[in-house]
Coordinates of all heavy atoms in Angstrom, one line a residue:
P48 N 12.5 -21.6 32.3 CA 13.9 -21.2 32.6 C 14.2 -21.6 34.1 O 13.4 -21.5 35.0 CB 13.9 -19.7 32.4 CG 12.5 -19.3 32.5 CD 11.6 -20.4 32.1
T49 N 15.5 -22.0 34.2 CA 15.9 -22.4 35.6 C 16.1 -21.1 36.4 O 15.9 -21.1 37.6 CB 17.2 -23.2 35.5 OG1 18.2 -22.4 34.8 CG2 17.0 -24.5 34.8
K50 N 16.6 -20.1 35.8 CA 16.8 -18.8 36.5 C 16.4 -17.7 35.5 O 16.7 -17.8 34.3 CB 18.3 -18.7 36.9 CG 18.6 -17.4 37.6 CD 20.1 -17.3 38.0 CE 20.3 -15.9 38.5 NZ 21.8 -15.6 38.6
L51 N 15.8 -16.7 36.0 CA 15.3 -15.6 35.1 C 16.5 -14.7 34.7 O 17.2 -14.2 35.6 CB 14.3 -14.7 35.8 CG 13.0 -15.4 36.2 CD1 12.0 -14.5 36.9 CD2 12.3 -16.0 34.9
H52 N 16.8 -14.6 33.4 CA 17.9 -13.8 32.9 C 17.3 -12.6 32.2 O 16.7 -12.7 31.1 CB 18.7 -14.6 31.9 CG 19.4 -15.8 32.5 ND1 20.6 -15.7 33.2 CD2 19.1 -17.1 32.6 CE1 21.0 -16.8 33.6 NE2 20.1 -17.7 33.3
F53 N 17.5 -11.4 32.8 CA 17.0 -10.2 32.3 C 18.0 -9.5 31.3 O 17.7 -8.5 30.8 CB 16.6 -9.2 33.4 CG 15.4 -9.7 34.2 CD1 15.5 -10.3 35.4 CD2 14.1 -9.5 33.7 CE1 14.5 -10.7 36.1 CE2 13.0 -10.0 34.4 CZ 13.2 -10.6 35.6
E54 N 19.1 -10.1 31.2 CA 20.2 -9.6 30.3 C 19.8 -9.5 28.9 O 20.3 -8.7 28.1 CB 21.5 -10.4 30.5 CG 22.1 -10.3 31.8 CD 21.6 -11.4 32.8 OE1 21.0 -12.4 32.3 OE2 21.7 -11.2 34.0
N55 N 18.9 -10.4 28.5 CA 18.4 -10.4 27.1 C 17.7 -9.1 26.7 O 17.9 -8.6 25.6 CB 17.5 -11.6 26.8 CG 18.1 -12.9 27.0 OD1 19.4 -13.1 26.9 ND2 17.4 -13.9 27.4
Y56 N 17.0 -8.6 27.7 CA 16.3 -7.3 27.4 C 17.2 -6.1 27.3 O 17.1 -5.3 26.5 CB 15.2 -7.1 28.5 CG 14.0 -8.0 28.3 CD1 13.9 -9.1 29.2 CD2 13.1 -7.8 27.4 CE1 12.8 -10.0 29.1 CE2 12.0 -8.7 27.2 CZ 11.9 -9.8 28.1 OH 10.9 -10.6 27.9
S57 N 18.2 -6.1 28.2 CA 19.2 -5.0 28.1 C 20.0 -5.1 26.9 O 20.4 -4.1 26.2 CB 20.1 -5.1 29.4 OG 20.9 -6.2 29.4
Q58 N 20.3 -6.3 26.4 CA 21.1 -6.5 25.1 C 20.2 -6.0 24.0 O 20.7 -5.5 23.0 CB 21.5 -7.9 25.0 CG 22.7 -8.4 25.8 CD 23.0 -9.8 25.6 OE1 22.4 -10.5 24.9 NE2 24.1 -10.2 26.2
A59 N 18.9 -6.3 24.0 CA 18.0 -5.9 23.0 C 18.0 -4.4 22.9 O 18.0 -3.8 21.8 CB 16.6 -6.5 23.2
F60 N 17.9 -3.7 24.0 CA 17.9 -2.3 24.0 C 19.2 -1.6 23.5 O 19.1 -0.7 22.8 CB 17.5 -1.7 25.4 CG 16.1 -1.7 25.6 CD1 15.5 -2.7 26.4 CD2 15.3 -0.7 25.2 CE1 14.1 -2.7 26.6 CE2 13.9 -0.6 25.4 CZ 13.3 -1.6 26.1
T61 N 20.3 -2.2 23.8 CA 21.6 -1.6 23.5 C 22.1 -2.0 22.1 O 22.4 -1.2 21.3 CB 22.7 -2.0 24.5 OG1 22.8 -3.4 24.6 CG2 22.3 -1.3 25.9
Q62 N 22.0 -3.3 21.8 CA 22.6 -3.8 20.5 C 21.7 -3.5 19.3 O 22.2 -3.2 18.2 CB 22.9 -5.3 20.6 CG 24.0 -5.6 21.5 CD 24.3 -7.1 21.6 OE1 23.6 -7.9 21.0 NE2 25.3 -7.5 22.4
I63 N 20.4 -3.6 19.5 CA 19.5 -3.5 18.4 C 19.0 -2.0 18.3 O 18.4 -1.6 17.3 CB 18.3 -4.4 18.5 CG1 18.8 -5.9 18.6 CG2 17.3 -4.3 17.4 CD1 17.7 -6.8 18.9
H64 N 19.3 -1.2 19.2 CA 18.8 0.2 19.3 C 17.3 0.2 19.2 O 16.7 0.8 18.3 CB 19.4 1.1 18.2 CG 20.9 1.0 18.2 ND1 21.7 1.6 19.2 CD2 21.8 0.5 17.3 CE1 22.9 1.4 18.9 NE2 23.1 0.7 17.8

Side-chain angles (χ1 to χ4, degrees):
T49 56
K50 182 182 171 191
L51 297 179
H52 295 277
F53 293 100
E54 296 86 20
N55 296 335
Y56 289 102
S57 64
Q58 286 178 354
F60 275 99
T61 57
Q62 291 179 358
I63 303 174
H64 306 292

